Amino acid sequence: MAKPNLLTIVPAKWAGLSAAKPDEGAVNFILHGRDEYAPESIDYVLSFYPPPGLLKTFPNLKAAFSLGAGVDGFLRDPDYPKRVPLVRFADETLSAEMAQFVLMHVLIRHRHQRLFDEAQSKRKWRQMVLPRRTEDTRIGMLGLGEIGSFTAARLMKLGFPVAGWSRTRKTLPGLKSFAGDGELAAFLGQTDILVCLLSLTRKTAGILNAKTFTAMPEGGFVINVARGGHLVEADLIAALDRGQLSGAVLDVFGEEPLPESSPLWSHPKITVTPHIAAISQPAVALKFVLDGIAKFERGERPDNIVDVETAY
Ligand code: NAP
């Protein structure tokens, strides 16, 4: 039987992906922009942000694989061929990286590390006690999926009280679960540090907005590691400037790379990182994709097929 053709449409840093082949020979790798190919020869696509309109030109496409946990890069394409199963990358290595990133920033905030950095820069010996105890610092996870629930468990191990908000109610040991639009305000009202790990859908776009920030206790802190589309940037800046929020960590942005002119770069209460909270590792992602292709070829369906209508 002929080997399936896998078209990889990836940024330059991923161009060596096919060199990481864990299962040499299972597929023919075709690199978009480098190799010539006939559209009808493409069986599978692997990408993060494929050019809109491209996938509909592949009449024999059997499935598309996202290099990331989110699929917004595919579904921003109004011509995404809905008959084609879309598989998102999910792996514990990704959840573990994200948990590290979130824990690091929760602790930097909780232990006021930025104040000590500032004091050091002025050669000032400035001792202070924590204004809030760990058991009184309430963390709220917006989103309790693959990554949110993993991260919540790690935060609870550090002694933080953790609650979560999701579409459906969860039963995770030790976690207070809020579900649906009707319970969002109550969830926010008891959240000191808000961590966004929602999928980006029509319903969750713009959820980090003025109303949300006002519903949190004064002096709240926000960490957005999901997608830039969740945040209304102007509302965040206004909430920080009037002291409703005390700080924010942003890893994802409406426009990436974040333009040099963005006020987010220089805001004294914002930490900006360049979408690096959890990066898919090429060898792990590739194994995931090759396993998925093998399943499709056997007539099975792999896990993590996204509902194209709900977008997650
Ligand atoms: P996931 O498993 O699909 O989980 C998504 C969560 O969002 C679920 O708990 C889901 O609720 C909830 N949700 C979706 N729509 C909702 C709604 N209308 N109301 C309430 N809750 C809703 O996603 P994941 O793999 O954990 O990824 C989470 C986010 O992290 C994604 O946005 C992804 O793109 C992002 N991410 C970022 C990076 C980075 O480097 N910054 C890396 C990896 C992932 P139910 O469970 O009830 O369905």
Side-chain angles (χ1 to χ4, degrees):
M1 206 168 71
K3 282 194 279 187
N5 291 327
L6 170 65
L7 177 67
T8 53
I9 312 167
V10 291
K13 65 175 177 171
W14 281 81
L17 192 71
S18 49
K21 305 173 205 170
D23 186 10
E24 185 124 19
V27 298
N28 295 316
F29 285 92
I30 301 172
L31 187 61
H32 182 70
R34 183 194 69 185
D35 301 329
E36 295 216 347
Y37 61 87
E40 56 279 9
S41 69
I42 301 304
D43 299 299
Y44 299 96
V45 161
L46 169 62
S47 189
F48 194 42
Y49 283 102
L54 181 65
L55 268 52
K56 77 164 186 206
T57 66
F58 303 148
N60 299 316
L61 190 61
K62 296 179 196 169
F65 290 84
S66 171
L67 262 178
V71 291
D72 45 306
F74 284 81
L75 298 183
R76 68 180 177 153
D77 179 357
D79 292 326
Y80 181 84
K82 291 192 174 153
R83 63 164 186 87
V84 174
L86 176 55
V87 186
R88 73 190 193 95
F89 178 56
D91 182 83
E92 202 166 291
T93 54
L94 203 61
S95 300
E97 274 201 36
M98 181 62 86
Q100 267 184 8
F101 183 91
V102 172
L103 261 60
M104 172 174 73
H105 286 287
V106 163
L107 290 175
I108 287 174
R109 156 71 187 157
H110 180 59
R111 302 294 306 239
H112 299 281
Q113 184 57 40
R114 286 185 76 166
L115 291 181
F116 294 113
D117 290 342
E118 198 189 317
Q120 183 185 350
S121 73
K122 294 179 184 146
R123 299 178 167 263
K124 292 273 184 228
W125 184 267
R126 193 174 161 228
Q127 290 181 320
M128 63 180 257
V129 285
L130 289 181
R132 206 192 271 269
R133 299 180 319 155
T134 309
E135 50 274 42
D136 296 332
T137 302
R138 300 159 298 176
I139 299 182
M141 310 294 302
L142 275 177
L144 285 171
E146 224 31 79
I147 302 177
S149 53
F150 187 98
T151 303
R154 294 275 162 106
L155 285 163
M156 286 189 286
K157 278 198 178 148
L158 287 180
F160 291 102
V162 180
W165 180 76
S166 44
R167 203 176 42 83
T168 54
R169 197 169 307 284
K170 308 290 177 196
T171 45
L172 297 171
L175 178 135
K176 200 166 162 189
S177 166
F178 293 81
D181 295 345
E183 295 183 12
L184 180 59
F187 162 78
L188 293 169
Q190 56 90 74
T191 293
D192 301 307
I193 300 180
L194 183 66
V195 180
C196 181
L197 274 167
L198 287 165
S199 40
L200 182 61
T201 71
R202 276 190 304 276
K203 289 200 164 164
T204 64
I207 193 166
L208 298 175
N209 58 31
K211 194 171 163 209
T212 294
F213 304 143
T214 308
M216 292 172 66
E218 204 171 307
F221 192 84
V222 171
I223 300 177
N224 186 23
V225 276
R227 284 290 181 264
H230 287 118
L231 175 68
V232 181
E233 291 180 0
D235 287 5
L236 175 73
I237 291 174
L240 289 167
D241 289 348
R242 69 169 187 277
Q244 171 67 35
L245 294 178
S246 58
V249 173
L250 306 177
D251 182 57
V252 285
F253 303 90
E255 187 180 347
E256 296 184 6
L258 183 64
E260 260 186 67
S261 59
S262 169
L264 299 173
W265 283 114
S266 54
H267 196 288
K269 295 181 180 169
I270 295 178
T271 296
V272 166
T273 54
H275 201 148
I276 46 72
I279 306 268
S280 314
Q281 293 168 16
V284 179
L286 194 58
K287 179 168 184 330
F288 177 85
V289 171
L290 293 181
D291 287 351
I293 290 177
K295 280 195 175 164
F296 279 118
E297 292 295 304
R298 290 197 299 267
E300 300 165 20
R301 282 170 76 79
D303 296 335
N304 301 306
I305 296 182
V306 168
D307 179 336
V308 177
E309 289 308 324
T310 57
Y312 81 100

